[in-house]
Amino acid sequence: MDGLTIRPIAEAEWPVFATVFREAFNSEAPPAVVDRYRALSELDRLLAAFDGDQMVGTAGALSFAMTVPGGTAPVAGVTLVSVLPSHRRRGILSAMMRRQLNDLHEGGEPVAALYPSEAAIYGRFGYGRAADSLTFDIPRHGAAFVPDAPTDPALRLRVADPARARKELEQVFEIVRAERPGQYARTAARWDDLLADEEFDRSGTGALRCVIAEDGSGPRGYALFRVKRKASEDDLPANELLLQELYAVDPAAYALVWRGVLERDLIARVRAWSRPVDDPLIHLLAEPRHLRPLWRDDLWVRVVDVGRALSARAYAAPVDLVFEVEDAYCPWNARCWRLSADGAGAVCEPSSAAADVTLPVSALGAAYLGGRPLVGMLRAGLIREHTRGAVARLSTAMSWEPRPCAALVF
């Protein structure tokens, strides 16, 4: 697009930046909520596109310490991406994505991740669907657990005020996030936003509520939720419990917190979003059909620097092979790479050897957190195998347990 400029914004331009984003997403937010968005954002990582003097597009990145297979790695959380309706289909989004990827390559994180508003958009920029999540819709009559569900007589369930219990919630979450790829360290502003309980946050439901599973040593699990008041045609309570998040550090605490949610009085059904695809509740519920699971995408991942990214994670099995990457937006990736990994670590570096596998960079992103088998993409015709069995070996090495899920949209 002629006359297009992309540059970081100044502090004084934040109100316009927020207005452009809200217009593009048809969203409304009171001033206090806009201030929360600002607290969550990193000003020096906000890009805006200008048509002359008019701001017409936005994009941002957040500095995350994200759990990846085997540890933690720096990841850029891409967010606040928008283009005004008046300027769609002029190449503005592509230009912003290219600028952001170049910036990351020159001095940022080797991996980027995002939550897309529309899943079809970001594949063309090299992002791959790396994590999935489940939505549960559980009726009260289907909440019974299997007879051998874990228990601990030392545990008790306590109703707590979410804001006052913040330190206890943070304590549990810090333990849990180290185990599951896709989880990321939460800043103070992120916790402020999660626990906010203004009318905007309630959106027609009730106040934010909390239950904590604890023993004499402290908290071992918690749930955050709201209750939407409803009644049946006979004027009987038919309230819905809307689960915001639930975490626990061990199976007994996990089971107790879920019981506190599922067995709450005057609740007809529990709706839970963004649950991991390997959620233990699948095994705890006596009749798992009552979960009524809906499968959808969670995190999308983009490998910005192949060598740094693949050297930064662990692998489930030894592997030593050469793969060729196809990458239209990051030409520094488009070449052959040798990945050599064992229990002592991993090295991924450029190679002049013939490739065992050729794959698009989006496939690497999809497999990066360990939750998307490359074998499936081979069967779909999206990967080319030159050495028999090479994709299966790479797929096995890149797999990981537990399955990835970030759960909290950024």
PDB file of all heavy atoms in Angstrom, residues 110-132:
ATOM      1  N   PRO A 110      12.953 -16.199  20.041  1.00  0.00           N
ATOM      2  CA  PRO A 110      13.010 -17.096  18.880  1.00  0.00           C
ATOM      3  C   PRO A 110      11.665 -17.725  18.531  1.00  0.00           C
ATOM      4  O   PRO A 110      11.536 -18.384  17.499  1.00  0.00           O
ATOM      5  CB  PRO A 110      14.007 -18.168  19.312  1.00  0.00           C
ATOM      6  CG  PRO A 110      13.870 -18.218  20.799  1.00  0.00           C
ATOM      7  CD  PRO A 110      13.595 -16.801  21.225  1.00  0.00           C
ATOM      8  N   VAL A 111      10.671 -17.523  19.394  1.00  0.00           N
ATOM      9  CA  VAL A 111       9.348 -18.110  19.196  1.00  0.00           C
ATOM     10  C   VAL A 111       8.294 -17.059  19.487  1.00  0.00           C
ATOM     11  O   VAL A 111       8.441 -16.260  20.416  1.00  0.00           O
ATOM     12  CB  VAL A 111       9.135 -19.327  20.138  1.00  0.00           C
ATOM     13  CG1 VAL A 111       7.730 -19.892  19.990  1.00  0.00           C
ATOM     14  CG2 VAL A 111      10.175 -20.406  19.872  1.00  0.00           C
ATOM     15  N   ALA A 112       7.233 -17.043  18.685  1.00  0.00           N
ATOM     16  CA  ALA A 112       6.084 -16.177  18.924  1.00  0.00           C
ATOM     17  C   ALA A 112       4.843 -17.043  19.077  1.00  0.00           C
ATOM     18  O   ALA A 112       4.764 -18.143  18.521  1.00  0.00           O
ATOM     19  CB  ALA A 112       5.895 -15.181  17.784  1.00  0.00           C
ATOM     20  N   ALA A 113       3.874 -16.568  19.858  1.00  0.00           N
ATOM     21  CA  ALA A 113       2.626 -17.309  20.059  1.00  0.00           C
ATOM     22  C   ALA A 113       1.481 -16.321  20.114  1.00  0.00           C
ATOM     23  O   ALA A 113       1.656 -15.154  20.497  1.00  0.00           O
ATOM     24  CB  ALA A 113       2.694 -18.126  21.350  1.00  0.00           C
ATOM     25  N   LEU A 114       0.291 -16.790  19.733  1.00  0.00           N
ATOM     26  CA  LEU A 114      -0.873 -15.911  19.756  1.00  0.00           C
ATOM     27  C   LEU A 114      -2.160 -16.707  19.869  1.00  0.00           C
ATOM     28  O   LEU A 114      -2.201 -17.914  19.662  1.00  0.00           O
ATOM     29  CB  LEU A 114      -0.922 -15.011  18.515  1.00  0.00           C
ATOM     30  CG  LEU A 114      -0.887 -15.629  17.110  1.00  0.00           C
ATOM     31  CD1 LEU A 114      -2.206 -16.275  16.709  1.00  0.00           C
ATOM     32  CD2 LEU A 114      -0.505 -14.574  16.069  1.00  0.00           C
ATOM     33  N   TYR A 115      -3.227 -15.977  20.210  1.00  0.00           N
ATOM     34  CA  TYR A 115      -4.589 -16.476  20.143  1.00  0.00           C
ATOM     35  C   TYR A 115      -5.265 -15.757  18.982  1.00  0.00           C
ATOM     36  O   TYR A 115      -5.467 -14.543  19.031  1.00  0.00           O
ATOM     37  CB  TYR A 115      -5.354 -16.166  21.430  1.00  0.00           C
ATOM     38  CG  TYR A 115      -5.144 -17.156  22.532  1.00  0.00           C
ATOM     39  CD1 TYR A 115      -4.185 -16.936  23.517  1.00  0.00           C
ATOM     40  CD2 TYR A 115      -5.922 -18.309  22.612  1.00  0.00           C
ATOM     41  CE1 TYR A 115      -4.000 -17.843  24.547  1.00  0.00           C
ATOM     42  CE2 TYR A 115      -5.746 -19.222  23.638  1.00  0.00           C
ATOM     43  CZ  TYR A 115      -4.785 -18.986  24.607  1.00  0.00           C
ATOM     44  OH  TYR A 115      -4.605 -19.884  25.620  1.00  0.00           O
ATOM     45  N   PRO A 116      -5.619 -16.457  17.911  1.00  0.00           N
ATOM     46  CA  PRO A 116      -6.230 -15.778  16.768  1.00  0.00           C
ATOM     47  C   PRO A 116      -7.724 -15.537  16.973  1.00  0.00           C
ATOM     48  O   PRO A 116      -8.433 -16.375  17.542  1.00  0.00           O
ATOM     49  CB  PRO A 116      -5.994 -16.748  15.615  1.00  0.00           C
ATOM     50  CG  PRO A 116      -6.002 -18.090  16.279  1.00  0.00           C
ATOM     51  CD  PRO A 116      -5.403 -17.885  17.650  1.00  0.00           C
ATOM     52  N   SER A 117      -8.203 -14.392  16.515  1.00  0.00           N
ATOM     53  CA  SER A 117      -9.649 -14.162  16.519  1.00  0.00           C
ATOM     54  C   SER A 117     -10.318 -15.005  15.445  1.00  0.00           C
ATOM     55  O   SER A 117     -11.466 -15.431  15.588  1.00  0.00           O
ATOM     56  CB  SER A 117      -9.946 -12.674  16.297  1.00  0.00           C
ATOM     57  OG  SER A 117      -9.352 -12.233  15.086  1.00  0.00           O
ATOM     58  N   GLU A 118      -9.589 -15.256  14.357  1.00  0.00           N
ATOM     59  CA  GLU A 118     -10.049 -16.128  13.287  1.00  0.00           C
ATOM     60  C   GLU A 118      -8.893 -17.061  12.929  1.00  0.00           C
ATOM     61  O   GLU A 118      -7.817 -16.606  12.542  1.00  0.00           O
ATOM     62  CB  GLU A 118     -10.477 -15.323  12.063  1.00  0.00           C
ATOM     63  CG  GLU A 118     -11.656 -14.396  12.315  1.00  0.00           C
ATOM     64  CD  GLU A 118     -11.984 -13.558  11.093  1.00  0.00           C
ATOM     65  OE1 GLU A 118     -12.665 -14.064  10.191  1.00  0.00           O
ATOM     66  OE2 GLU A 118     -11.535 -12.390  11.057  1.00  0.00           O
ATOM     67  N   ALA A 119      -9.125 -18.366  13.052  1.00  0.00           N
ATOM     68  CA  ALA A 119      -8.040 -19.331  12.910  1.00  0.00           C
ATOM     69  C   ALA A 119      -7.424 -19.335  11.517  1.00  0.00           C
ATOM     70  O   ALA A 119      -6.253 -19.687  11.350  1.00  0.00           O
ATOM     71  CB  ALA A 119      -8.540 -20.733  13.252  1.00  0.00           C
ATOM     72  N   ALA A 120      -8.172 -18.931  10.515  1.00  0.00           N
ATOM     73  CA  ALA A 120      -7.668 -19.022   9.140  1.00  0.00           C
ATOM     74  C   ALA A 120      -6.642 -17.943   8.802  1.00  0.00           C
ATOM     75  O   ALA A 120      -5.964 -18.040   7.774  1.00  0.00           O
ATOM     76  CB  ALA A 120      -8.841 -18.925   8.160  1.00  0.00           C
ATOM     77  N   ILE A 121      -6.505 -16.938   9.650  1.00  0.00           N
ATOM     78  CA  ILE A 121      -5.692 -15.776   9.289  1.00  0.00           C
ATOM     79  C   ILE A 121      -4.194 -16.056   9.353  1.00  0.00           C
ATOM     80  O   ILE A 121      -3.437 -15.705   8.441  1.00  0.00           O
ATOM     81  CB  ILE A 121      -6.031 -14.569  10.202  1.00  0.00           C
ATOM     82  CG1 ILE A 121      -7.452 -14.085   9.925  1.00  0.00           C
ATOM     83  CG2 ILE A 121      -5.022 -13.437   9.994  1.00  0.00           C
ATOM     84  CD1 ILE A 121      -7.896 -12.965  10.835  1.00  0.00           C
ATOM     85  N   TYR A 122      -3.724 -16.690  10.429  1.00  0.00           N
ATOM     86  CA  TYR A 122      -2.302 -16.621  10.749  1.00  0.00           C
ATOM     87  C   TYR A 122      -1.454 -17.754  10.175  1.00  0.00           C
ATOM     88  O   TYR A 122      -0.230 -17.692  10.249  1.00  0.00           O
ATOM     89  CB  TYR A 122      -2.118 -16.518  12.270  1.00  0.00           C
ATOM     90  CG  TYR A 122      -2.579 -15.176  12.781  1.00  0.00           C
ATOM     91  CD1 TYR A 122      -3.875 -15.006  13.257  1.00  0.00           C
ATOM     92  CD2 TYR A 122      -1.741 -14.064  12.734  1.00  0.00           C
ATOM     93  CE1 TYR A 122      -4.313 -13.762  13.691  1.00  0.00           C
ATOM     94  CE2 TYR A 122      -2.165 -12.831  13.170  1.00  0.00           C
ATOM     95  CZ  TYR A 122      -3.459 -12.683  13.645  1.00  0.00           C
ATOM     96  OH  TYR A 122      -3.895 -11.462  14.061  1.00  0.00           O
ATOM     97  N   GLY A 123      -2.088 -18.765   9.607  1.00  0.00           N
ATOM     98  CA  GLY A 123      -1.306 -19.818   8.985  1.00  0.00           C
ATOM     99  C   GLY A 123      -0.426 -19.303   7.873  1.00  0.00           C
ATOM    100  O   GLY A 123       0.703 -19.774   7.672  1.00  0.00           O
ATOM    101  N   ARG A 124      -0.908 -18.309   7.142  1.00  0.00           N
ATOM    102  CA  ARG A 124      -0.117 -17.791   6.021  1.00  0.00           C
ATOM    103  C   ARG A 124       1.104 -16.999   6.481  1.00  0.00           C
ATOM    104  O   ARG A 124       2.001 -16.728   5.690  1.00  0.00           O
ATOM    105  CB  ARG A 124      -0.984 -16.931   5.099  1.00  0.00           C
ATOM    106  CG  ARG A 124      -1.478 -15.620   5.657  1.00  0.00           C
ATOM    107  CD  ARG A 124      -2.316 -14.905   4.596  1.00  0.00           C
ATOM    108  NE  ARG A 124      -2.710 -13.567   4.940  1.00  0.00           N
ATOM    109  CZ  ARG A 124      -3.870 -13.251   5.517  1.00  0.00           C
ATOM    110  NH1 ARG A 124      -4.731 -14.209   5.822  1.00  0.00           N
ATOM    111  NH2 ARG A 124      -4.177 -11.989   5.798  1.00  0.00           N
ATOM    112  N   PHE A 125       1.137 -16.648   7.766  1.00  0.00           N
ATOM    113  CA  PHE A 125       2.311 -15.959   8.312  1.00  0.00           C
ATOM    114  C   PHE A 125       3.237 -16.919   9.046  1.00  0.00           C
ATOM    115  O   PHE A 125       4.166 -16.487   9.733  1.00  0.00           O
ATOM    116  CB  PHE A 125       1.876 -14.831   9.256  1.00  0.00           C
ATOM    117  CG  PHE A 125       0.952 -13.833   8.618  1.00  0.00           C
ATOM    118  CD1 PHE A 125      -0.284 -13.550   9.168  1.00  0.00           C
ATOM    119  CD2 PHE A 125       1.312 -13.192   7.431  1.00  0.00           C
ATOM    120  CE1 PHE A 125      -1.133 -12.639   8.576  1.00  0.00           C
ATOM    121  CE2 PHE A 125       0.458 -12.280   6.821  1.00  0.00           C
ATOM    122  CZ  PHE A 125      -0.769 -12.015   7.395  1.00  0.00           C
ATOM    123  N   GLY A 126       2.991 -18.211   8.906  1.00  0.00           N
ATOM    124  CA  GLY A 126       3.889 -19.211   9.478  1.00  0.00           C
ATOM    125  C   GLY A 126       3.505 -19.718  10.846  1.00  0.00           C
ATOM    126  O   GLY A 126       4.266 -20.483  11.454  1.00  0.00           O
ATOM    127  N   TYR A 127       2.340 -19.324  11.364  1.00  0.00           N
ATOM    128  CA  TYR A 127       1.884 -19.826  12.652  1.00  0.00           C
ATOM    129  C   TYR A 127       1.221 -21.190  12.463  1.00  0.00           C
ATOM    130  O   TYR A 127       0.517 -21.421  11.487  1.00  0.00           O
ATOM    131  CB  TYR A 127       0.894 -18.863  13.297  1.00  0.00           C
ATOM    132  CG  TYR A 127       1.531 -17.626  13.884  1.00  0.00           C
ATOM    133  CD1 TYR A 127       1.811 -16.524  13.088  1.00  0.00           C
ATOM    134  CD2 TYR A 127       1.867 -17.576  15.232  1.00  0.00           C
ATOM    135  CE1 TYR A 127       2.412 -15.388  13.614  1.00  0.00           C
ATOM    136  CE2 TYR A 127       2.464 -16.439  15.773  1.00  0.00           C
ATOM    137  CZ  TYR A 127       2.733 -15.351  14.957  1.00  0.00           C
ATOM    138  OH  TYR A 127       3.330 -14.235  15.492  1.00  0.00           O
ATOM    139  N   GLY A 128       1.442 -22.085  13.415  1.00  0.00           N
ATOM    140  CA  GLY A 128       0.825 -23.406  13.384  1.00  0.00           C
ATOM    141  C   GLY A 128       0.009 -23.634  14.637  1.00  0.00           C
ATOM    142  O   GLY A 128       0.329 -23.129  15.725  1.00  0.00           O
ATOM    143  N   ARG A 129      -1.051 -24.405  14.501  1.00  0.00           N
ATOM    144  CA  ARG A 129      -1.946 -24.697  15.632  1.00  0.00           C
ATOM    145  C   ARG A 129      -1.246 -25.650  16.587  1.00  0.00           C
ATOM    146  O   ARG A 129      -1.176 -26.846  16.375  1.00  0.00           O
ATOM    147  CB  ARG A 129      -3.245 -25.303  15.099  1.00  0.00           C
ATOM    148  CG  ARG A 129      -4.273 -25.630  16.158  1.00  0.00           C
ATOM    149  CD  ARG A 129      -5.565 -26.106  15.496  1.00  0.00           C
ATOM    150  NE  ARG A 129      -6.517 -26.609  16.470  1.00  0.00           N
ATOM    151  CZ  ARG A 129      -7.765 -26.962  16.181  1.00  0.00           C
ATOM    152  NH1 ARG A 129      -8.191 -26.868  14.926  1.00  0.00           N
ATOM    153  NH2 ARG A 129      -8.571 -27.420  17.111  1.00  0.00           N
ATOM    154  N   ALA A 130      -0.703 -25.107  17.665  1.00  0.00           N
ATOM    155  CA  ALA A 130       0.184 -25.865  18.542  1.00  0.00           C
ATOM    156  C   ALA A 130      -0.513 -26.472  19.747  1.00  0.00           C
ATOM    157  O   ALA A 130       0.008 -27.413  20.351  1.00  0.00           O
ATOM    158  CB  ALA A 130       1.320 -24.962  19.034  1.00  0.00           C
ATOM    159  N   ALA A 131      -1.655 -25.941  20.143  1.00  0.00           N
ATOM    160  CA  ALA A 131      -2.347 -26.438  21.331  1.00  0.00           C
ATOM    161  C   ALA A 131      -3.851 -26.369  21.106  1.00  0.00           C
ATOM    162  O   ALA A 131      -4.342 -25.497  20.390  1.00  0.00           O
ATOM    163  CB  ALA A 131      -1.959 -25.626  22.568  1.00  0.00           C
ATOM    164  N   ASP A 132      -4.553 -27.275  21.726  1.00  0.00           N
ATOM    165  CA  ASP A 132      -6.006 -27.308  21.672  1.00  0.00           C
ATOM    166  C   ASP A 132      -6.563 -27.227  23.083  1.00  0.00           C
ATOM    167  O   ASP A 132      -5.840 -27.405  24.073  1.00  0.00           O
ATOM    168  CB  ASP A 132      -6.493 -28.581  20.997  1.00  0.00           C
ATOM    169  CG  ASP A 132      -6.100 -28.654  19.536  1.00  0.00           C
ATOM    170  OD1 ASP A 132      -6.226 -27.636  18.843  1.00  0.00           O
ATOM    171  OD2 ASP A 132      -5.634 -29.720  19.094  1.00  0.00           O
TER     172      ASP A 132
END
